[in-house]
Amino acid sequence: MTTNKRLQYFDLAKGIGILLVIIGHLQGNDIFSLSPYILPFCTWIFSFHMPLFFLISGMLMKYRNDQEISLSNLIKKRFISIMIPYFCFSMIYLSVVFYALLIQKSIMPETLYVNLWYVFSTYGMSVLWFLPTLFFAEIIFLFLLKKLNRKVLAITIVTITATISVVNYLISQLTFSSPIMERIHELSIAVMRPFLALIFIYIGYLVFSYFKESEKVIGKEIIIGIVLLIIGIVFFRVNGGVDFRSLVQKNLFFYYLCSVSTSLGLILICKNCHVTLKLLTFCGK
């Protein structure tokens, strides 16, 4: 395998993405009352912050030449770097639930059972849903990448995205009135998330070649990045609030246009940022 140097603009983009995730989750009536712009800002963040990480994942796969590594080794590496942290952080979450149940006695045992289900179904407790989604999406993409030629790969991923989007829409129209049905609904979401993340990983994988070839057009890249950000802002206002965790996408065309354009715009600006932002870069690493 070819050893590549670390691209710091990806770390910076991920660091900014992490900061936006934190800001996006600082919600509530008390916070929203501070300014009328906070809620629209949080809504804008949710329109692209998860696709940003999937796009970067696809770009890094291309940069590292992951397609030349055996699938078994890739699964092992990804499991260690993604799923082990998932289970470790889940245990921390569960320890809090156990404390509330056994010491504080402030919750019912059913709450513990539900959270155990979240962990082992990979639906995820709170924000931890992202890790198994990323793991399975990367493995599925790498499997398809190794088995299919370029044209068939493109057709397959577009077909998967369209099919799962339709299935997700149909499921969202149903009513889940019992705890068992709610668990089934959550499992369906956990299964669909990686397949809907595929398209972002694929786009990132495709566009990285253009990023490598455009080293000498810095001014042009900044302009393109700003234009892409503006496009994302315009279409986020048209589409309204979305949420990848719950697979709320609304208008699919606006959703993908907004999430991809904003993410690529942010990455392009980070690529041409000559200001040292050590804390954000460190967080991205």
Side-chain angles (χ1 to χ4, degrees):
M1 173 181 171
T2 304
T3 302
N4 295 309
K5 68 176 184 178
R6 194 174 189 94
L7 298 179
Q8 290 199 347
Y9 67 87
F10 283 136
D11 293 327
L12 177 59
K14 287 188 289 183
I16 293 173
I18 290 169
L19 178 62
L20 291 175
V21 168
I22 294 171
I23 294 173
H25 284 82
L26 294 176
Q27 299 189 28
N29 293 332
D30 291 338
I31 294 176
F32 293 152
S33 66
L34 298 176
S35 170
Y37 301 105
I38 294 177
L39 178 56
F41 182 59
C42 290
T43 305
W44 173 69
I45 290 172
F46 270 73
S47 71
F48 74 94
H49 66 340
M50 289 298 102
L52 170 67
F53 292 103
F54 296 129
L55 278 161
I56 292 175
S57 174
M59 290 179 167
L60 289 173
M61 286 184 192
K62 181 68 173 180
Y63 180 62
R64 295 187 303 247
N65 294 314
D66 281 357
Q67 68 274 17
E68 297 183 8
I69 305 174
S70 70
L71 189 61
S72 60
N73 285 338
L74 287 168
I75 292 174
K76 181 179 178 181
K77 289 178 62 177
R78 294 296 197 275
F79 189 87
I80 292 172
S81 62
I82 299 175
M83 293 306 291
I84 295 298
Y86 167 74
F87 286 113
C88 289
F89 281 108
S90 294
M91 292 306 106
I92 295 174
Y93 265 94
L94 285 174
S95 68
V96 176
V97 176
F98 273 109
Y99 179 80
L101 174 64
L102 300 176
I103 307 300
Q104 290 186 326
K105 301 185 186 301
S106 58
I107 62 172
M108 299 296 290
E110 289 77 8
T111 303
L112 172 61
Y113 304 150
V114 170
N115 281 284
L116 286 169
W117 162 256
Y118 287 165
V119 173
F120 293 104
S121 68
T122 70
Y123 181 77
M125 298 177 69
S126 187
V127 296
L128 294 180
W129 68 268
F130 172 73
L131 294 175
T133 299
L134 178 64
F135 172 75
F136 288 114
E138 286 191 348
I139 297 307
I140 294 169
F141 176 74
L142 288 167
F143 173 80
L144 295 175
L145 183 65
K146 289 176 175 293
K147 298 296 182 180
L148 306 176
N149 62 46
R150 293 172 61 182
K151 184 177 180 179
V152 176
L153 176 65
I155 294 172
T156 300
I157 290 181
V158 170
T159 302
I160 288 173
T161 302
T163 302
I164 299 298
S165 295
V166 171
V167 172
N168 178 48
Y169 172 77
L170 294 175
I171 290 176
S172 70
Q173 304 305 303
L174 302 177
T175 300
F176 301 91
S177 55
S178 68
I180 292 178
M181 293 305 296
E182 288 177 5
R183 302 295 83 80
I184 293 174
H185 184 210
E186 291 158 357
L187 181 61
S188 70
I189 291 176
V191 170
M192 289 188 292
R193 282 178 191 149
F195 290 101
L196 289 175
L198 275 180
I199 189 72
F200 297 114
I201 293 177
Y202 179 57
I203 292 172
Y205 187 87
L206 286 179
V207 302
F208 181 71
S209 297
Y210 297 99
F211 274 62
K212 290 179 66 177
E213 294 169 0
S214 58
E215 298 292 341
K216 298 180 180 180
V217 287
I218 294 176
K220 183 179 178 181
E221 282 191 343
I222 292 176
I223 294 173
I224 294 173
I226 293 172
V227 170
L228 288 172
L229 283 179
I230 293 173
I231 291 173
I233 291 172
V234 170
F235 284 98
F236 121 76
R237 294 184 65 84
V238 174
N239 200 31
V242 296
D243 181 18
F244 197 100
R245 179 179 189 266
S246 303
L247 298 185
V248 177
Q249 299 173 304
K250 296 188 177 178
N251 184 292
L252 291 177
F253 175 76
F254 291 146
Y255 174 73
Y256 286 108
L257 179 62
C258 175
S259 56
V260 172
S261 63
T262 307
S263 298
L264 291 179
L266 178 61
I267 295 169
L268 275 172
I269 291 172
C270 289
K271 182 174 182 284
N272 296 280
C273 178
H274 300 292
V275 179
T276 302
L277 300 171
K278 292 184 178 180
L279 181 58
L280 287 174
T281 304
F282 174 77
C283 290
K285 290 181 181 179

PDB file of all heavy atoms in Angstrom, residues 62 204-214:
ATOM      1  N   LYS A  62     -10.370   7.144  -1.585  1.00  0.00           N
ATOM      2  CA  LYS A  62      -9.675   7.322  -2.853  1.00  0.00           C
ATOM      3  C   LYS A  62      -8.216   7.698  -2.621  1.00  0.00           C
ATOM      4  O   LYS A  62      -7.308   7.165  -3.273  1.00  0.00           O
ATOM      5  CB  LYS A  62     -10.374   8.417  -3.665  1.00  0.00           C
ATOM      6  CG  LYS A  62      -9.762   8.675  -5.033  1.00  0.00           C
ATOM      7  CD  LYS A  62      -9.960   7.499  -5.968  1.00  0.00           C
ATOM      8  CE  LYS A  62      -9.492   7.822  -7.374  1.00  0.00           C
ATOM      9  NZ  LYS A  62      -9.674   6.696  -8.306  1.00  0.00           N
ATOM     10  N   GLY A 204     -17.945  11.597  -2.827  1.00  0.00           N
ATOM     11  CA  GLY A 204     -16.629  11.988  -2.316  1.00  0.00           C
ATOM     12  C   GLY A 204     -15.508  11.232  -3.013  1.00  0.00           C
ATOM     13  O   GLY A 204     -14.474  11.812  -3.356  1.00  0.00           O
ATOM     14  N   TYR A 205     -15.715   9.939  -3.240  1.00  0.00           N
ATOM     15  CA  TYR A 205     -14.720   9.113  -3.931  1.00  0.00           C
ATOM     16  C   TYR A 205     -14.476   9.623  -5.349  1.00  0.00           C
ATOM     17  O   TYR A 205     -13.329   9.679  -5.818  1.00  0.00           O
ATOM     18  CB  TYR A 205     -15.217   7.669  -3.955  1.00  0.00           C
ATOM     19  CG  TYR A 205     -14.215   6.670  -4.486  1.00  0.00           C
ATOM     20  CD1 TYR A 205     -13.278   6.084  -3.634  1.00  0.00           C
ATOM     21  CD2 TYR A 205     -14.213   6.305  -5.827  1.00  0.00           C
ATOM     22  CE1 TYR A 205     -12.364   5.161  -4.115  1.00  0.00           C
ATOM     23  CE2 TYR A 205     -13.297   5.393  -6.310  1.00  0.00           C
ATOM     24  CZ  TYR A 205     -12.371   4.817  -5.453  1.00  0.00           C
ATOM     25  OH  TYR A 205     -11.458   3.911  -5.943  1.00  0.00           O
ATOM     26  N   LEU A 206     -15.554  10.027  -6.029  1.00  0.00           N
ATOM     27  CA  LEU A 206     -15.432  10.496  -7.406  1.00  0.00           C
ATOM     28  C   LEU A 206     -14.751  11.856  -7.510  1.00  0.00           C
ATOM     29  O   LEU A 206     -13.891  12.057  -8.371  1.00  0.00           O
ATOM     30  CB  LEU A 206     -16.823  10.579  -8.052  1.00  0.00           C
ATOM     31  CG  LEU A 206     -17.511   9.272  -8.447  1.00  0.00           C
ATOM     32  CD1 LEU A 206     -18.872   9.574  -9.051  1.00  0.00           C
ATOM     33  CD2 LEU A 206     -16.664   8.470  -9.425  1.00  0.00           C
ATOM     34  N   VAL A 207     -15.146  12.787  -6.661  1.00  0.00           N
ATOM     35  CA  VAL A 207     -14.676  14.174  -6.834  1.00  0.00           C
ATOM     36  C   VAL A 207     -13.260  14.381  -6.322  1.00  0.00           C
ATOM     37  O   VAL A 207     -12.635  15.394  -6.649  1.00  0.00           O
ATOM     38  CB  VAL A 207     -15.621  15.183  -6.146  1.00  0.00           C
ATOM     39  CG1 VAL A 207     -17.028  15.065  -6.684  1.00  0.00           C
ATOM     40  CG2 VAL A 207     -15.602  15.016  -4.628  1.00  0.00           C
ATOM     41  N   PHE A 208     -12.721  13.442  -5.550  1.00  0.00           N
ATOM     42  CA  PHE A 208     -11.386  13.671  -5.006  1.00  0.00           C
ATOM     43  C   PHE A 208     -10.341  13.819  -6.100  1.00  0.00           C
ATOM     44  O   PHE A 208      -9.365  14.559  -5.947  1.00  0.00           O
ATOM     45  CB  PHE A 208     -10.974  12.551  -4.047  1.00  0.00           C
ATOM     46  CG  PHE A 208      -9.614  12.774  -3.440  1.00  0.00           C
ATOM     47  CD1 PHE A 208      -9.415  13.767  -2.502  1.00  0.00           C
ATOM     48  CD2 PHE A 208      -8.515  12.017  -3.842  1.00  0.00           C
ATOM     49  CE1 PHE A 208      -8.165  14.002  -1.957  1.00  0.00           C
ATOM     50  CE2 PHE A 208      -7.260  12.243  -3.301  1.00  0.00           C
ATOM     51  CZ  PHE A 208      -7.084  13.235  -2.354  1.00  0.00           C
ATOM     52  N   SER A 209     -10.520  13.138  -7.222  1.00  0.00           N
ATOM     53  CA  SER A 209      -9.568  13.266  -8.329  1.00  0.00           C
ATOM     54  C   SER A 209      -9.476  14.708  -8.805  1.00  0.00           C
ATOM     55  O   SER A 209      -8.394  15.197  -9.134  1.00  0.00           O
ATOM     56  CB  SER A 209      -9.991  12.358  -9.489  1.00  0.00           C
ATOM     57  OG  SER A 209      -9.955  10.998  -9.103  1.00  0.00           O
ATOM     58  N   TYR A 210     -10.594  15.405  -8.822  1.00  0.00           N
ATOM     59  CA  TYR A 210     -10.598  16.807  -9.242  1.00  0.00           C
ATOM     60  C   TYR A 210      -9.906  17.685  -8.207  1.00  0.00           C
ATOM     61  O   TYR A 210      -9.267  18.680  -8.549  1.00  0.00           O
ATOM     62  CB  TYR A 210     -12.030  17.278  -9.478  1.00  0.00           C
ATOM     63  CG  TYR A 210     -12.715  16.543 -10.600  1.00  0.00           C
ATOM     64  CD1 TYR A 210     -13.588  15.492 -10.348  1.00  0.00           C
ATOM     65  CD2 TYR A 210     -12.476  16.881 -11.933  1.00  0.00           C
ATOM     66  CE1 TYR A 210     -14.206  14.800 -11.375  1.00  0.00           C
ATOM     67  CE2 TYR A 210     -13.085  16.199 -12.968  1.00  0.00           C
ATOM     68  CZ  TYR A 210     -13.952  15.154 -12.682  1.00  0.00           C
ATOM     69  OH  TYR A 210     -14.555  14.470 -13.713  1.00  0.00           O
ATOM     70  N   PHE A 211     -10.022  17.324  -6.932  1.00  0.00           N
ATOM     71  CA  PHE A 211      -9.339  18.067  -5.879  1.00  0.00           C
ATOM     72  C   PHE A 211      -7.825  17.964  -6.072  1.00  0.00           C
ATOM     73  O   PHE A 211      -7.098  18.933  -5.912  1.00  0.00           O
ATOM     74  CB  PHE A 211      -9.729  17.518  -4.502  1.00  0.00           C
ATOM     75  CG  PHE A 211     -10.986  18.114  -3.949  1.00  0.00           C
ATOM     76  CD1 PHE A 211     -12.199  17.955  -4.606  1.00  0.00           C
ATOM     77  CD2 PHE A 211     -10.970  18.839  -2.779  1.00  0.00           C
ATOM     78  CE1 PHE A 211     -13.357  18.500  -4.112  1.00  0.00           C
ATOM     79  CE2 PHE A 211     -12.132  19.389  -2.264  1.00  0.00           C
ATOM     80  CZ  PHE A 211     -13.332  19.223  -2.931  1.00  0.00           C
ATOM     81  N   LYS A 212      -7.342  16.768  -6.421  1.00  0.00           N
ATOM     82  CA  LYS A 212      -5.901  16.569  -6.610  1.00  0.00           C
ATOM     83  C   LYS A 212      -5.389  17.322  -7.834  1.00  0.00           C
ATOM     84  O   LYS A 212      -4.251  17.802  -7.849  1.00  0.00           O
ATOM     85  CB  LYS A 212      -5.597  15.080  -6.766  1.00  0.00           C
ATOM     86  CG  LYS A 212      -5.778  14.273  -5.489  1.00  0.00           C
ATOM     87  CD  LYS A 212      -5.478  12.806  -5.713  1.00  0.00           C
ATOM     88  CE  LYS A 212      -4.026  12.566  -6.044  1.00  0.00           C
ATOM     89  NZ  LYS A 212      -3.693  11.145  -6.203  1.00  0.00           N
ATOM     90  N   GLU A 213      -6.233  17.433  -8.855  1.00  0.00           N
ATOM     91  CA  GLU A 213      -5.787  18.042 -10.105  1.00  0.00           C
ATOM     92  C   GLU A 213      -5.875  19.562 -10.102  1.00  0.00           C
ATOM     93  O   GLU A 213      -5.461  20.205 -11.060  1.00  0.00           O
ATOM     94  CB  GLU A 213      -6.631  17.490 -11.261  1.00  0.00           C
ATOM     95  CG  GLU A 213      -6.407  16.000 -11.513  1.00  0.00           C
ATOM     96  CD  GLU A 213      -7.436  15.427 -12.475  1.00  0.00           C
ATOM     97  OE1 GLU A 213      -8.301  16.207 -12.923  1.00  0.00           O
ATOM     98  OE2 GLU A 213      -7.377  14.211 -12.757  1.00  0.00           O
ATOM     99  N   SER A 214      -6.407  20.170  -9.051  1.00  0.00           N
ATOM    100  CA  SER A 214      -6.658  21.609  -9.052  1.00  0.00           C
ATOM    101  C   SER A 214      -5.759  22.359  -8.076  1.00  0.00           C
ATOM    102  O   SER A 214      -6.155  23.351  -7.488  1.00  0.00           O
ATOM    103  CB  SER A 214      -8.129  21.870  -8.711  1.00  0.00           C
ATOM    104  OG  SER A 214      -8.446  21.297  -7.450  1.00  0.00           O
TER     105      SER A 214
END
